[in-house]
Amino acid sequence: MDNWYLVRLDFGQNVAHFGRVGIGLEETSDRLPSDSLFSALISTYARIYPEHLGSLLDAINGPKPPFRHSSTFIYVRNQETYRYYLPKPLSFPKNYQTDDNLTLTKAYKKLAYLPLEVWQSWYQGEGFTKADGDEIIAHAQAQSSQENRLQKLGMFDYGKTHRTAKLPKVSLDRITQASNFYHTKVVQFQCEFKEAESQKTQSGKRQPEKQAGLYFLLHFPQANPELMDQLKTVLSVLADEGIGGERSSGAGRFTLDWVKTLPEAWRSLLQFAKPNAYSLLSLFWNDQKDELSQIKEDKNARYEFQDRGGWVSSSPTGIQERRKKVRMFSEGSVFAFPPQGRLADVTPPRFNAHPVYRSGLALSLPISIDLQ
């Protein structure tokens, strides 16, 4: 699996703020979607490599983009073992009986993210089993056991990987100096330490026994060492400056972990040889009729939409304008083909400083489902 890379963002005990469209500072998501990650990468790239920006954007919006990436999702490191969560595809796994049990149906619908091993078993392996259903029902009825397979794999532990909190803030009017009190909601990822002094590293800092953070997949269709090195530099800058909102308050800073060798579990996932559908790991947008007509004709397609908007923060000009809104397919949407997508031009009216793009480039995984 050449040219596939796994990138982990370790926030340690730092907080982060990932805003949601139409909600404001009082709410935060637990992760960063692909279009926001792309914006962070490109805006930082523009500051470091301004002479290459135009040609890179032209290539990205061309027929063969030089790279694609997923949205960020949560991982958990327990000592030396990593658990990765993936968005649950919107199609039911093979062998799932939709009208079998109301308790199971309700509990299943609440599952938004699956551990990699469960995701692979359901969508690339034998599919959904009666034992899986029994375990999900048992957990819903508070009868789950640590000995159960799904429980061991962390199926029901997603909510433990992070917590949110409200931070009090005060802003001052630039003219009257009148104060305005408000709250900002932030997310903090799980970080558990052992009390033993032996857990200290050579630097004198304690090593967390269990640590959660974010990860994303990065794919270069063709080897491009120069661009890869540039993106490593960009991510290193973002690690120091922070990613997401409230960076001026120190939020969003992380330690970059660029995994050199793709773990075997991921290699197996990407090499699945007999797919009949594809599930999105990123947001997806396209206005080209050929791809949209394929979706319209696909009776097995399952998808949801997200409205994406926000503000332009233009470093060279200092101008802030609200971007045009665009509606994108959500992660977990399922199609009969691997969607491609493209950049959406969301430049605000009367904003002439530079074009503003939202990434609708798609990254998906092959799956096998029961077709109608």
Side-chain angles (χ1 to χ4, degrees), residues 10-138:
D10 179 358
F11 291 87
Q13 294 179 291
N14 296 331
V15 299
H17 176 81
F18 306 128
R20 296 178 178 177
V21 175
I23 294 179
L25 290 174
E26 290 194 2
E27 289 297 334
T28 182
S29 176
D30 55 9
R31 59 183 188 81
L32 202 64
S34 58
D35 62 337
S36 296
L37 175 60
F38 178 85
S39 296
L41 292 172
I42 292 300
S43 60
T44 305
Y45 186 96
R47 289 190 283 125
I48 303 175
Y49 306 105
E51 68 279 8
H52 298 304
L53 179 63
S55 59
L56 177 62
L57 287 176
D58 288 342
I60 292 174
N61 217 20
K64 296 181 179 180
F67 72 95
R68 297 174 183 269
H69 60 77
S70 70
S71 296
T72 62
F73 302 104
I74 288 180
Y75 77 87
V76 179
R77 179 188 59 79
N78 191 349
Q79 296 181 348
E80 300 302 321
T81 302
Y82 287 88
R83 176 188 302 151
Y84 299 95
Y85 286 93
L86 293 162
K88 184 184 70 178
L90 295 180
S91 293
F92 289 110
K94 289 188 300 184
N95 308 321
Y96 183 91
Q97 302 298 318
T98 56
D99 58 350
D100 187 37
N101 186 297
L102 184 58
T103 302
L104 172 60
T105 300
K106 289 181 177 180
Y108 178 87
K109 289 179 68 175
K110 292 180 180 179
L111 299 172
Y113 300 95
L114 307 176
L116 185 151
E117 294 84 358
V118 176
W119 193 101
Q120 187 173 31
S121 174
W122 285 3
Y123 289 97
Q124 293 184 346
E126 62 178 332
F128 196 84
T129 66
K130 184 180 183 303
D132 293 333
D134 291 342
E135 287 190 40
I136 293 174
I137 293 173

Side-chain angles (χ1 to χ4, degrees), residues 142-162:
Q143 298 174 354
S144 185
S145 168
Q146 293 294 330
E147 299 302 315
N148 290 344
R149 169 179 170 269
L150 298 183
Q151 186 75 39
K152 287 181 179 179
L153 293 173
M155 177 77 156
F156 312 110
D157 293 340
Y158 185 84
K160 301 176 183 178
T161 63
H162 60 282

Side-chain angles (χ1 to χ4, degrees), residues 304-325:
E304 292 178 349
F305 294 108
Q306 286 187 26
D307 288 327
R308 306 297 297 162
W311 292 83
V312 175
S313 179
S314 182
S315 300
T317 64
I319 299 173
Q320 287 194 337
E321 293 280 352
R322 186 175 289 278
R323 293 189 296 258
K324 292 179 181 178
K325 282 190 177 181

Side-chain angles (χ1 to χ4, degrees), residues 246-277:
E246 295 296 298
R247 295 189 300 276
S248 60
S249 300
R253 295 177 183 172
F254 59 89
T255 300
L256 178 64
D257 184 9
W258 186 290
V259 182
K260 296 180 179 179
T261 303
L262 199 65
E264 180 56 35
W266 282 105
R267 296 171 68 89
S268 175
L269 210 68
L270 294 166
Q271 290 176 329
F272 182 57
K274 297 180 180 179
N276 60 11

Side-chain angles (χ1 to χ4, degrees), residues 148-210:
N148 290 344
R149 169 179 170 269
L150 298 183
Q151 186 75 39
K152 287 181 179 179
L153 293 173
M155 177 77 156
F156 312 110
D157 293 340
Y158 185 84
K160 301 176 183 178
T161 63
H162 60 282
R163 64 184 183 90
T164 58
K166 285 186 177 181
L167 299 183
K169 295 277 188 174
V170 176
S171 65
L172 297 178
D173 187 279
R174 294 182 180 181
I175 299 176
T176 67
Q177 296 299 301
S179 61
N180 178 39
F181 181 78
Y182 65 100
H183 285 91
T184 296
K185 205 165 190 180
V186 294
V187 60
Q188 186 173 41
F189 297 98
Q190 183 180 21
C191 187
E192 297 180 5
F193 292 90
K194 273 189 175 181
E195 295 296 330
E197 290 293 319
S198 61
Q199 292 296 309
K200 289 186 177 180
T201 63
Q202 294 181 353
S203 63
K205 296 181 179 179
R206 287 190 300 165
Q207 175 73 22
E209 180 184 25
K210 183 176 287 188

